[in-house]
């Protein structure tokens, strides 16, 4: 026999109640009785019966009214009500169902049918309870998943003053992600992603994405490298048809430049603070996770940015939001906001309130995910501090290593993240990570650009030249068939601290390191002040040797301040 | 005045009663007693409504008396109640008094039959 149920019999006629009680008890169920509608509601509240057999016509309160009150108080729980009635006309029977009844039975009672109905509603109750349990379970699981995701995706550096973003708290289950992290050289990577689909399938890709993004960015990998890794990982783990549209921006606060990659999301906007001019950067790549690693080529565009210039990234949620009439917000309305603004600082809020006003009482089809970042002076934003918890006290103190990259490797591999990673094993150097990375990058890039590729830094003095410089660099790197750069790094303990020595040599004919590092060109004009400042701040010894193709730097720690 | 020898099958539905007896077992006697007591109350209510001549009240009382009669297989009593209910629904109360008398007579017959057989 199935699980015994608690069944409420509400009938003003005692003989009816006796007969019904006998039928129900014979099936092994428990009976609670009520003699009118008021009593039925009271018994329902006191005993929470599983099924109710309700006479339609009763004194004090009739069955219809009792049914309405019970259904209202039952809330999400399913409490089947079967009306017992000798009424025959269709109108009366319909009223029974309208008042919240689930079924009706005509008097005199047919025992077989009544038993079958109780069984059927008992099954329905079980299914309903199961459904509710699954729903509770799903919400619980989403909460857990969200907590794990928040730990992985944390907020990075999204709380910096030059970034603003809008993302609903459960956006991860709508497939939307916004990530930002500083690079060891002081730069910043910003990513906005929009996975296809909704719910857990959309959320699941966001975790490895965030993990790769934060891990690689803080180790100094370039935007292209981060994108390649994300693409190849998503390609591997996501089923066909699930992928991530996105846009990534790398901000360099020294050079005041932005590298922008757009893959499948609406145009990224770059707004000039002074002129209000709008540059639209359209999508040039397929989304992440679509192409095989060897087919994926993240082509980014480079842009100069003055202090105050802003980039805007968004998912299609804004453009595709609907008003109650079913119209889309559209790109034209968005562009109009940019044209009409008096103060670009207000644009972020203007967009959100315009979209909000547009949607009105309409349905929110998608999350409004929006992110903007402003170019600032490096001094205003400071160097990043990374929280590294790995390593033992002190770490490796006495070691040296050599790494030589030949032409093929120079094209294919950026050794800086790897080298920085090893340096960060030395606990005493961790506080200097940003500066060490910048020093390494400066010396290595000088060796590559000027030593091997023999590029003239004069080119970089203006915006057009900047672009030309990088085009030429890429061309020469591609054509490179001879050349090597070797890095020799040694660390040894000294007193309470240590001493780090770097030697970087290239196979080129030599160049004027002094000029590169001091940032003084032939005309005695400074093009970049940071190299020389950094060298003085950080290095205890610094010299170039041989024919100008070897540079040596020594950094001692702890630093005396 | 009760008939001397009423024929049970003219007044009661044997199949229903047998089924109830099987279902309720020892409680069946209780059911019969409860019905007889209840029938007296319902008849008094019905008589009150007929006196008041409000058709809707008559219909309601007759409907409810019909239901409880049907339960215990008092088919002829139920049929008379139904006749009264139908007239009342159409607003005809001219036959009400006459039908009420018939109902009263049938009640005494049913009372006698039940007492003879079960009590």
């Amino acid at each position: 026999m199935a699980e015994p149920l608690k069944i409420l019999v509400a009938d003003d006629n005692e003989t009816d109640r006796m007969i019904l009680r006998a039928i129900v008890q014979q099936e092994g169920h428990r009976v609670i009785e009520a003699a009118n509608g008021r009593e039925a509601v009271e018994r329902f509240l006191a005993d929470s019966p599983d099924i109710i057999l309700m006479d339609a016509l009763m004194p004090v309160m009739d069955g219809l009214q009792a049914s309405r009150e019970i259904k209202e108080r039952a809330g999400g729980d399913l409490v089947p009500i079967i009306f017992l009635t000798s009424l025959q006309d269709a109108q009366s029977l319909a009223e029974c169902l309208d008042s919240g009844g689930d079924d009706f039975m005509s008097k005199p009672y047919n025992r077989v049918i009544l038993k079958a109905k109780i069984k059927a509603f008992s099954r329905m109750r079980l299914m309903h309870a199961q459904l509710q349990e699954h729903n509770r379970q799903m919400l619980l699981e989403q909460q857990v998943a969200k907590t794990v995701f928040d730990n992985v995706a944390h907020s990075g550096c999204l709380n910096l003053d030059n970034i603003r973003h809008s993302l609903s708290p459960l956006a991860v289950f709508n497939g939307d992600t916004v990530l930002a992290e500083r690079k060891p050289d002081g730069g910043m990577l910003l990513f906005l992603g929009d996975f296809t689909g909704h719910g857990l399938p959309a959320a699941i890709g966001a975790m490895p994405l965030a993990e790769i993004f934060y891990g690689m960015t803080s180790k100094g990998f370039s935007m292209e490298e981060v994108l390649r890794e994300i693409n190849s990982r998503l390609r591997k783990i996501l089923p066909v048809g699930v992928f991530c549209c996105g846009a990534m921006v790398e901000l360099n606060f020294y050079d005041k430049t932005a590298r922008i990659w757009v893959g499948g999301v609406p145009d990224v906007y770059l707004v000039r603070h002074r002129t209000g001019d709008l540059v639209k950067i359209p999508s040039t790549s397929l989304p992440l996770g679509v192409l095989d690693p060897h087919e994926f080529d993240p082509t980014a565009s480079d842009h100069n940015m003055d202090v105050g210039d802003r980039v805007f990234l968004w998912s299609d949620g804004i453009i595709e939001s609907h008003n109650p009439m079913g119209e889309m917000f559209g790109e034209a309305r968005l562009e109009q906001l940019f044209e009409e603004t008096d103060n670009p600082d207000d644009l972020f809020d203007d967009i959100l309130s315009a979209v909000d006003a547009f949607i009105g009482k309409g349905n929110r089809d998608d999350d409004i995910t929006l992110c903007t970042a402003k170019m600032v002076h490096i001094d205003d934003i400071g160097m990043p501090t990374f929280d590294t918890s790995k390593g033992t006290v002190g770490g490796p103190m006495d070691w040296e290593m050599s790494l030589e990259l030949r032409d093929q490797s120079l094209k294919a591999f950026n050794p800086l993240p790897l080298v920085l990673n090893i340096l960060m094993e030395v606990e005493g150097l961790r506080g200097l990570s940003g500066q060490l990375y910048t020093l390494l990058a400066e010396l290595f890039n000088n060796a590559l650009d000027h030593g091997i590729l023999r590029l003239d830094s004069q080119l970089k003095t203006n915006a057009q030249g900047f672009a030309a410089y990088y085009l030429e660099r890429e061309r020469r790197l591609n054509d490179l068939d001879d050349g090597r750069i070797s890095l020799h790094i040694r660390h040894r303990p000294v007193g309470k601290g240590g001493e780090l020595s770097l030697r970087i040599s290239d196979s080129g004919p030599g160049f004027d390191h002094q000029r590169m590092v001091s940032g003084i060109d032939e005309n005695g004009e400074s093009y970049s002040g940071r190299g020389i400042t950094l060298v003085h701040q950080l290095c205890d010894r610094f010299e170039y040797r041989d024919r100008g193709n070897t540079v040596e730097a020594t950094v001692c720690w702890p630093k005396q301040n | 005045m009760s008939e001397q020898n009423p024929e049970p099958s003219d007044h009661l539905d044997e199949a229903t009663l047998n089924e109830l007896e099987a279902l309720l077992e020892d409680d069946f006697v209780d059911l019969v007693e409860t019905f007889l007591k209840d029938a007296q109350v319902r008849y008094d209510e019905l008589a009150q409504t007929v006196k008041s001549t409000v058709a809707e009240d008559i219909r309601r009382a007759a409907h409810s008396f019909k239901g409880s009669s049907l339960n215990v297989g008092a088919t002829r009593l139920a049929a008379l109640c139904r006749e009264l209910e139908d007239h009342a629904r159409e607003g005809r109360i001219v036959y009400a008094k006459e039908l009420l008398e018939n109902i009263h007579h049938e009640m005494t017959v049913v009372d006698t039959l039940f007492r003879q057989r079960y009590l």
Side-chain angles (χ1 to χ4, degrees):
Chain A
M1 188 183 289
E3 181 105 341
L5 301 174
K6 217 189 289 178
I7 297 183
L8 172 61
V9 174
D11 200 311
D12 61 320
N13 191 319
E14 206 180 334
T15 53
D16 282 75
R17 288 205 303 274
M18 287 177 82
I19 296 169
L20 286 168
R21 183 174 61 214
I23 297 173
V24 170
Q25 278 174 343
Q26 206 179 46
E27 287 299 292
H29 304 303
R30 235 183 86 204
V31 175
I32 308 160
E33 294 181 26
N36 60 53
R38 168 92 54 231
E39 265 183 53
V41 176
E42 283 164 9
R43 293 262 64 81
F44 164 75
L45 294 175
D47 298 320
S48 3
D50 301 311
I51 296 177
I52 299 173
L53 306 179
M54 178 91 78
D55 189 12
L57 300 177
M58 286 187 283
V60 186
M61 180 192 285
D62 68 13
L64 300 170
Q65 181 58 27
S67 166
R68 274 188 285 270
E69 293 197 9
I70 287 171
K71 286 289 179 178
E72 198 181 300
R73 292 177 193 230
D77 293 337
L78 177 68
V79 185
I81 297 179
I82 303 172
F83 271 101
L84 309 166
T85 175
S86 48
L87 299 170
Q88 294 295 341
D89 62 305
Q91 181 59 36
S92 304
L93 297 177
E95 272 172 29
C96 289
L97 299 186
D98 281 346
S99 72
D102 297 281
D103 200 356
F104 47 75
M105 254 200 86
S106 299
K107 293 183 185 182
Y109 311 114
N110 181 313
R111 283 165 57 191
V112 178
I113 290 180
L114 181 59
K115 284 177 196 172
K117 286 196 178 190
I118 289 175
K119 240 180 228 160
F121 277 109
S122 169
R123 275 201 304 273
M124 198 192 279
R125 272 191 76 257
L126 280 179
M127 284 192 284
H128 183 80
Q130 233 163 37
L131 203 65
Q132 283 199 315
E133 179 55 31
H134 283 168
N135 200 39
R136 255 195 302 275
Q137 188 68 22
M138 191 186 77
L139 290 177
L140 201 74
E141 282 171 2
Q142 284 204 347
Q143 265 318 311
V144 174
K146 165 91 172 89
T147 308
V148 174
F149 178 77
D150 285 348
N151 288 338
V152 173
H154 49 90
S155 55
C157 66
L158 280 173
N159 52 356
L160 282 176
D161 289 342
N162 67 326
I163 301 180
R164 296 199 59 190
H165 75 287
S166 151
L167 188 68
S168 94
L170 277 172
V172 61
F173 297 110
N174 286 326
D176 284 0
T177 307
V178 175
L179 307 168
E181 182 63 298
R182 298 294 300 276
K183 298 182 64 183
D185 65 1
M188 175 194 289
L189 274 192
L190 190 64
F191 178 76
L192 180 142
D194 179 3
F195 280 90
T196 46
H198 283 265
L200 278 180
I204 221 149
M207 292 205 214
L209 187 150
E211 184 110 48
I212 294 168
F213 178 85
Y214 286 117
M216 291 183 74
T217 305
S218 63
K219 289 191 180 84
F221 284 95
S222 71
M223 185 171 88
E224 285 83 353
E225 288 165 320
V226 176
L227 285 167
R228 278 183 197 284
E229 183 60 25
I230 291 174
N231 177 70
S232 101
R233 185 80 65 88
L234 293 184
R235 172 76 179 145
K236 207 178 316 173
I237 61 174
L238 295 183
V240 173
V242 181
F243 47 83
C244 182
C245 297
M248 200 180 276
V249 174
E250 177 170 5
L251 294 177
N252 185 324
F253 301 109
Y254 284 110
D255 295 345
K256 306 278 183 298
T257 56
R259 254 186 145 198
I260 301 177
W261 173 87
V262 189
V265 289
D267 295 2
V268 166
Y269 283 14
L270 196 167
V271 188
R272 303 291 180 197
H273 184 67
R274 222 164 9 167
T275 59
D277 287 351
L278 183 63
V279 182
K280 293 201 234 166
I281 299 107
S283 169
T284 52
S285 285
L286 285 173
L288 298 162
V290 174
L291 294 174
D292 281 333
H294 68 273
E295 296 170 319
F296 182 72
D297 188 21
T299 41
S301 54
D302 292 296
H303 306 267
N304 282 302
M305 282 180 84
D306 283 335
V307 166
D309 290 359
R310 289 172 181 280
V311 285
F312 284 85
L313 292 69
W314 31 52
S315 65
D316 52 19
I318 289 184
I319 291 169
E320 290 179 4
S321 46
H322 286 78
N323 67 6
M325 273 86 78
E327 286 174 283
M328 288 216 299
F329 188 73
E331 214 165 330
R333 282 192 180 82
L334 193 57
E335 223 171 296
Q336 203 178 351
L337 288 172
F338 282 82
E339 277 163 18
E340 290 173 355
T341 185
D342 300 323
N343 182 1
D345 283 339
D346 295 338
L347 270 168
F348 179 84
D349 297 308
D350 290 349
I351 294 169
L352 288 186
S353 43
V355 172
D356 218 53
F358 180 77
I359 295 175
K361 289 194 175 72
N363 265 337
R364 282 177 188 275
D365 314 313
D366 214 341
D367 273 355
I368 307 305
T369 302
L370 165 66
C371 177
T372 177
K374 188 165 73 168
M375 179 55 73
V376 292
H377 287 295
I378 183 69
D379 298 335
D380 292 335
I381 192 169
M383 287 297 284
T385 49
F386 292 104
D387 186 24
T388 62
S389 50
K390 63 181 171 183
T392 52
V393 177
M397 296 290 284
D398 198 4
W399 53 272
E400 59 184 290
M401 64 174 266
S402 285
L403 177 68
E404 185 172 274
L405 301 175
R406 318 263 159 80
D407 48 285
Q408 186 273 335
S409 299
L410 288 172
K411 292 177 199 181
F413 177 63
N414 168 13
L416 301 176
L418 174 79
V419 170
L420 188 75
N421 229 7
I422 293 169
L423 293 182
M424 288 308 98
E425 291 293 323
V426 181
E427 206 173 64
L429 291 176
R430 282 182 197 158
L432 303 170
S433 69
Q435 289 142 297
L436 280 173
Y437 184 88
T438 311
L439 177 71
L440 268 168
E442 188 85 355
L443 299 183
F444 180 80
N445 287 332
N446 279 344
L448 181 60
D449 288 13
H450 309 307
I452 303 284
L453 301 178
R454 313 195 50 196
L455 286 156
D456 186 353
S457 62
Q458 279 291 86
L459 269 173
K460 278 204 276 190
T461 43
N462 61 44
Q464 289 81 11
F466 205 86
Y469 179 90
Y470 278 104
L471 268 177
E472 182 61 18
R473 183 183 188 276
E474 205 174 309
R475 194 186 63 76
R476 291 194 193 181
L477 194 58
N478 252 326
D479 295 345
L480 187 68
D481 56 4
D482 185 32
R484 60 189 64 185
I485 295 178
S486 73
L487 296 96
H488 190 87
I489 304 171
R490 192 182 67 168
H491 187 274
R492 60 188 188 100
V494 175
K496 284 180 185 160
E499 180 193 86
L500 175 74
S501 311
L502 304 170
R503 190 175 71 233
I504 295 180
S505 312
D506 63 73
S507 59
F511 63 99
D512 185 355
H513 275 281
Q514 182 65 42
R515 183 162 67 81
M516 292 308 152
V517 173
S518 67
I520 308 291
D521 66 19
E522 289 106 342
N523 308 321
E525 283 179 21
S526 168
Y527 62 87
S528 161
R530 77 175 147 135
I532 191 73
T533 321
L534 184 76
V535 165
H536 283 312
Q537 271 179 354
L538 193 63
C539 299
D540 296 83
R541 280 187 297 282
F542 182 83
E543 56 181 330
Y544 45 99
R545 307 180 143 204
D546 301 340
R547 53 181 193 268
N549 60 351
T550 296
V551 61
E552 283 185 358
T554 305
V555 178
C556 294
W557 63 270
K559 288 275 158 215
Q560 312 297 330
N561 286 323
Chain B
M1 302 303 110
S2 63
E3 292 172 36
Q4 288 309 301
N5 290 308
E7 177 58 45
S9 60
D10 290 343
H11 304 273
L12 301 176
D13 175 30
E14 295 292 336
T16 301
L17 283 164
N18 290 340
E19 205 180 306
L20 283 176
E21 207 173 354
L23 175 73
L24 291 161
E25 297 170 356
D26 296 345
D27 290 337
F28 181 67
V29 175
D30 269 357
L31 177 75
V32 173
E33 277 182 334
T34 305
F35 169 74
L36 292 176
K37 208 162 60 200
D38 185 63
Q40 190 57 54
V41 175
R42 287 185 190 273
Y43 173 78
D44 290 346
E45 274 171 16
L46 186 60
Q48 201 65 41
T49 60
V50 170
K51 202 182 253 172
S52 77
T53 69
V54 179
E56 174 58 18
D57 291 350
I58 298 171
R59 184 193 67 77
R60 201 186 290 268
H63 174 89
S64 143
F65 199 1
K66 177 192 74 181
S68 58
S69 308
L70 222 43
N71 273 340
V72 294
T75 40
R76 180 157 164 72
L77 183 57
L80 288 168
C81 289
R82 177 175 188 155
E83 212 176 317
L84 180 55
E85 182 190 357
D86 288 346
H87 281 303
R89 185 179 301 111
E90 305 298 324
R92 289 191 300 267
I93 55 169
V94 281
Y95 308 110
K97 242 176 144 180
E98 190 189 330
L99 276 167
L100 185 69
E101 273 167 28
N102 291 347
I103 287 170
H104 183 259
H105 175 72
E106 178 62 16
M107 251 178 73
T108 52
V109 174
V110 169
D111 190 281
T112 309
L113 283 171
F114 273 160
R115 282 179 201 286
Q116 275 171 7
R117 290 176 69 168
Y118 303 114
L119 304 178

